[in-house]
Amino acid sequence: MSESSFQDDVLGELGDDRLNEIASLLGTDTAGARDTVTTTVGAMTGDLRQRAGADDEDGVEVRQAFAEVAEPPLQGVSTLGGGLGGLLSGGMMAGVLAKLSRPVANAVSKKTGIPAATVSRVIEMLIPVLLAVFAKRAASGKAPGGTAAGTPSGTPSGGTPGAAPAAPAGDGGLGDLLGQILGGGRK
């Protein structure tokens, strides 16, 4: 499984039943749903990587969300999960993904011709799945041979005011963490 791409992990976590739900929502078959999910996940992870590398409030928020994802389970709000659609258990990362949903829906809509409102509904279905894959990747320690492309290789010890310290991810900082969660064996 270490050779699988992030999109493959999302599709695996999504499962046939939810993939069929997405196909029904899109008015297509499962192959069309797979393509849409892959395109959407690619757009979301691309935006996450770009924002994580930014030296602004969005960058700080995304880096903090990734650090939170890498924390061991059953801490903080993750113990309150349950039937709240996965959003509460996702903590800060769920909020980051929700913020990305509109621009990603618009971008995917332009690329695929699917109405942005429909893509937004697909994204709503994908957020809990993305959170689960992020958590599994962080817990398993999946890391490719280096840092994720376009991301900083670490967090300065002084850090940005209000920024979370770099999460423990192997021997590196943010780049290793992003590679571990998003990169996982992509070639």
Side-chain angles (χ1 to χ4, degrees):
M1 189 143 174
S2 64
E3 292 298 315
S4 68
S5 72
F6 186 78
Q7 286 91 346
D8 290 341
D9 288 353
V10 169
L11 287 167
E13 184 72 26
L14 192 60
D16 291 339
D17 289 343
R18 285 189 272 179
L19 191 60
N20 286 328
E21 284 181 52
I22 291 172
S24 177
L25 175 69
L26 296 170
T28 188
D29 59 6
T30 55
R34 271 184 202 279
D35 290 344
T36 302
V37 167
T38 301
T39 300
T40 303
V41 169
M44 291 189 86
T45 57
D47 275 6
L48 283 171
R49 285 179 187 210
Q50 181 179 16
R51 290 177 188 230
D55 289 331
D56 59 12
E57 287 182 31
D58 283 344
V60 171
E61 183 180 30
V62 171
R63 289 187 296 273
Q64 286 176 331
F66 274 108
E68 180 184 274
V69 165
E71 290 176 6
L74 302 177
Q75 293 184 2
V77 297
S78 64
T79 59
L80 302 175
L84 298 176
L87 293 180
L88 182 57
S89 64
M92 185 177 258
M93 182 56 80
V96 167
L97 292 173
K99 281 184 184 180
L100 288 177
S101 65
R102 173 172 263 156
V104 168
N106 290 333
V108 171
S109 176
K110 285 180 185 174
K111 185 175 183 176
T112 63
I114 299 168
T118 303
V119 176
S120 291
R121 290 183 60 202
V122 170
I123 291 171
E124 288 172 13
M125 294 174 74
L126 288 175
I127 287 175
V129 175
L130 290 168
L131 294 172
V133 173
F134 288 155
K136 285 180 180 180
R137 281 180 168 243
S140 73
K142 276 190 178 180
T147 60
T151 59
S153 61
T155 304
S157 59
T160 304
D171 62 326
L174 177 65
D176 287 342
L177 178 61
L178 289 172
Q180 176 178 329
I181 294 173
L182 294 176
R186 291 192 75 188
K187 303 227 184 242

